[in-house]
Amino acid sequence: MSGGLLVAGTTSDAGKSVVTAGICRWLVRQGVKVAPFKGQNMSLNSFVTREGAEIGRAQAMQAQAARVEPTALMNPVLLKPGGDRSSQVVLMGRPVGELSARGYHGGRQRELFEPVMACLEELRGTYDAVICEGAGSPAEINLRRTDIVNMGIARAARLPVLVVGDIDRGGVFAQFFGTTALLSPEDQSLVAGYLVNKFRGDVSLLEPGLDMLHGLTGRPTLGVLPYAHGLGIDEEDGMGVPPAGGWGRVSPRGAVRESVAAAPVGADVLRVAVCAVPLMSNFTDVDALAAEPGVVVRFVDRSEELADADLVIVPGTRGTVKALAWLRDRGLADALARRAAEGRPVLGICGGFQALGEHIEDDVESRAGQVEGLGLLPVRVRFAREKTLARPEGEALGERVEGYEIHHGVAEVGGGDPFLDGCRVGAVWGTHWHGSLESDGFRRAFLREVAALAGRRFVPAPDTSFGALREEQLDRLGDLIEEHTDTAALLRLIEGGAPAGLPFVPPGAP
């Protein structure tokens, strides 16, 4: 077998990432050697591979679904937004510059087409199948000329295209028809079918519409995936400021993050408040906490919401100086200072760690120069042009810890107790390490310390395995594909490409 497939979507967040992961897990369980691929990703939620390359976390998750080690080949271009109009461009895992949207789409993007295709071809030469994920919608006609992630690569690699639509949003039939009808005849010839995502109710009520869609477009719907709760899967897109409020919600999306906290092992629950800083990065750092029985997590943006929190986390951000100003403007900086003085737990991760320090010198990220931090940790930070990308391992609280680092800020620690290459002073911890809370033994030890400082009779569950939970979720995705799609038709597409003679749906691209 040697084949591939592009999973496109009618909109952003239609479910491309999870469908791609589900197909990868289904295929690998059939004995197929499979890899994921996304030519260009825009996300603040990234990961560091074993070779020290930065890629989107969604592709790392899909690689886990495929049971292969993630590499830069799987996500050659990563865009990390730094504001409304500019992004850092990461090529093959390394930053190569900062560009405005106009500058990128005006010419730079097209220059990346050849390296993107080279990565795809290398993967196709190594694996039996490559399942590619698109971005946004393939019908973004204003961007088609420079496209390197949707129909641009589908045409170049002759990949069949499966279009996913989120029926929970409504209007999915119009989305499928309109997406197809806005493509050129050449692009339409590769659109081989549709997949309905997040359906609630009786599928028989949907079938007449699917039949009519087939009659209108000449293309079948290959499956209807039911709405599935509790799928904690890493998000593709950079999340903005999530809505505050509601204990038990860590994110408006995602499986672990939407699930209701299980009953505590001890007498008390433990409440975690995450400051929803601007340009928040790697919000998945708190997923492992949300997976713990008796731990409830929410994002907050008001100082009064810290009052009943047992632990406050200041997470990573692509804009440390901007996050500092936001914390001060909203009164959260003063609330954090009061917590530290009272000996109540605070954890800063990456940009959050930098914000908790005494002083920041930033001529790289914000170009703001000298900026005073919150002064809760004896740390001075200088932003370097070279980005630190690493996969550190170490020990803290008597337990082994693994993590990953993605930052320009270089921290000079001037005191406190050592903590994961950062430091601890009283009830305030800070580290550049993302992902440390996924280390089960360390997470339990850390939560015991937090509970003791907070005066809570909380006891961590002795057997929670975040890695095992993630594997269960990926298997559930594979089950959804196996049970609710026409897998024989899907396999024919992957092996043989789009069928010949698919009809043209007018009007086509203008």
Side-chain angles (χ1 to χ4, degrees), residues 49-63:
T49 67
R50 292 288 180 193
E51 73 266 34
E54 184 179 9
I55 66 172
R57 270 197 73 100
Q59 279 61 66
M61 173 271 294
Q62 290 161 357

Side-chain angles (χ1 to χ4, degrees), residues 339-498:
R339 287 186 67 89
E342 294 165 0
R344 302 176 66 199
V346 176
L347 170 64
I349 302 174
C350 198
F353 165 45
Q354 296 165 7
L356 296 180
E358 297 171 342
H359 182 80
I360 293 172
E361 181 182 339
D362 182 9
D363 296 318
V364 176
E365 189 175 78
S366 68
R367 298 179 176 85
Q370 310 289 325
V371 178
E372 293 304 309
L374 299 184
L376 304 186
L377 291 174
V379 175
R380 300 176 72 84
V381 176
R382 176 184 55 82
F383 275 69
R385 297 201 176 276
E386 185 72 18
K387 181 184 282 190
T388 297
L389 296 169
R391 290 280 293 270
E393 300 180 11
E395 185 174 306
L397 305 180
E399 299 286 348
R400 292 292 300 168
V401 190
E402 295 182 2
Y404 58 99
E405 295 185 67
I406 307 169
H407 54 91
H408 284 279
V410 178
E412 179 185 334
V413 179
D417 297 321
F419 177 74
L420 300 180
D421 291 343
C423 66
R424 172 188 181 177
V425 175
V428 181
W429 294 265
T431 177
H432 271 134
W433 292 22
H434 294 289
S436 62
L437 294 168
E438 295 181 19
S439 296
D440 297 326
F442 166 72
R443 182 179 65 255
R444 287 191 276 270
F446 179 71
L447 289 175
R448 282 192 290 269
E449 290 241 5
V450 167
L453 288 165
R456 295 287 186 189
R457 294 173 298 167
F458 169 83
V459 178
D463 55 356
T464 301
S465 168
F466 187 73
L469 176 61
R470 178 53 49 87
E471 276 296 303
E472 290 173 10
Q473 292 158 344
L474 293 172
D475 275 332
R476 286 184 63 197
L477 286 181
D479 292 343
L480 287 172
I481 296 298
E482 185 168 353
E483 296 167 9
H484 299 281
T485 68
D486 184 344
T487 54
L490 195 59
L491 204 55
R492 285 195 298 271
L493 285 182
I494 295 169
E495 290 181 324

Side-chain angles (χ1 to χ4, degrees), residues 70-128:
T71 73
L73 292 172
M74 297 171 185
N75 180 206
V77 179
L78 174 64
L79 305 179
K80 303 196 73 176
D84 291 338
R85 297 186 178 180
S86 67
S87 293
Q88 183 180 70
V89 181
V90 178
L91 177 62
M92 293 303 295
R94 295 287 172 179
V96 294
E98 196 93 12
L99 280 178
S100 67
R102 180 178 293 274
Y104 183 70
H105 291 290
R108 178 61 170 149
Q109 183 184 36
R110 193 63 189 176
E111 294 173 10
L112 299 173
F113 183 76
E114 287 190 12
V116 165
M117 287 303 301
C119 290
L120 176 57
E121 289 309 309
E122 184 170 344
L123 288 174
R124 295 187 78 182
T126 305
Y127 292 89
D128 299 331

Side-chain angles (χ1 to χ4, degrees), residues 2 9 24 188 205 330 335 398 401 428:
S2 178
C24 285
Q188 284 194 27
L205 298 176
R330 291 178 174 265
V401 190
V428 181

